[in-house]
Amino acid sequence: NAGVMQNPRHLVRRRGQEARLRCSPMKGHSHVYWYRQLPEEGLKFMVYLQKENIIDESGMPKERFSAEFPKEGPSILRIQQVVRGDSAAYFCASSPNLREGYTFGSGTRLTVV
Amino acid sequence: DQQVKQNSPSLSVQEGRISILNCDYTNSMFDYFLWYKKYPAEGPTFLISISSIKDKNEDGRFTVFLNKSAKHLSLHIVPSQPGDSAVYFCAALEPDNNDMRFGAGTRLTVKP
């Protein structure tokens, strides 16, 4: 069991480009969560998804950000028209069901130049 | 809206001594609390948890204490070891809700 896989580990984008971050949950895990860690700050909840459904997106910025977890394939966090303030580490976590502890991936570090 | 607060950004202790990391919360609906440990360039890893029906949970060198009336929990590490040096995040969950809320983290440094 390879754990939660995130790719890429590092992503550099110019302002205005799109960033796509991928997360493959642990085998058997149907719940996926995305968190963002800004420099010198804690982990901020963004979105919680199950297969083909967004359960809670209360932490997602209203514009430019979207997330999906299709029936097949990894979960994708998409940031359109990136700005410098989007530079952060983005962590994905998965769990098998409600209340089970999360397993985190190693994160994707996005740098917007 | 910071529902989980870790007011100490950093803590330094001597090897062998006790480390006490504190966490406060404002949401009285939280009923499950967790501590995660994070090394640089890695994702957080689960350390220990406690349900609101308990006031203490112990696992080896790690003990979590919960004071519901004060909306406060703490993580005790004793004895502290240099390998414990990491950022520690406190997290909380509401009933029937699966998305965790994290504090800002406390960077623990254990000096040899």
Side-chain angles (χ1 to χ4, degrees), chain B residues 63-83:
Chain B
T63 303
V64 56
F65 294 92
L66 175 62
N67 183 335
K68 286 189 292 293
S69 60
K71 294 193 181 69
H72 176 84
L73 65 156
S74 59
L75 174 68
H76 292 212
I77 307 173
V78 56
S80 301
Q81 299 173 355

Side-chain angles (χ1 to χ4, degrees), chain B residues 14-82:
Chain B
Q14 207 66 35
E15 181 179 6
R17 300 289 189 109
I18 185 170
S19 295
I20 300 177
L21 297 102
N22 293 304
C23 177
D24 297 290
Y25 60 95
T26 57
N27 185 348
S28 57
M29 296 297 293
F30 288 143
D31 72 335
Y32 196 69
F33 304 88
L34 308 93
W35 284 93
Y36 279 78
K37 178 179 177 179
K38 184 181 181 304
Y39 293 115
E42 294 184 15
T45 54
F46 170 74
L47 193 56
I48 193 169
S49 63
I50 188 166
S51 165
S52 62
I53 62 173
K54 295 185 175 182
D55 54 20
K56 177 182 173 181
N57 188 27
E58 192 172 351
D59 183 3
R61 297 185 297 114
F62 303 90
T63 303
V64 56
F65 294 92
L66 175 62
N67 183 335
K68 286 189 292 293
S69 60
K71 294 193 181 69
H72 176 84
L73 65 156
S74 59
L75 174 68
H76 292 212
I77 307 173
V78 56
S80 301
Q81 299 173 355

Side-chain angles (χ1 to χ4, degrees), chain A residues 6 9 13 17 24 39 41-42 52 55 72 75 78 83 86 96-97 112-113:
Chain A
Q6 287 188 252
R9 284 298 302 271
R13 284 287 177 267
Q17 290 184 321
S24 296
E41 293 190 18
E52 300 183 278
I55 308 301
E72 301 290 338
S75 175
R78 184 179 175 211
V83 301
D86 297 332
N97 52 42
V112 179
V113 298

Side-chain angles (χ1 to χ4, degrees), chain A residues 9 33 35 45 56 99 102 105, chain B residues 31 41 43 94-95 98-100:
Chain A
R9 284 298 302 271
Y33 318 84
Y35 286 81
F45 167 77
D56 181 352
R99 287 312 175 90
Y102 293 8
Chain B
D31 72 335
E94 292 182 30
N98 213 32
D99 34 271
M100 249 186 273

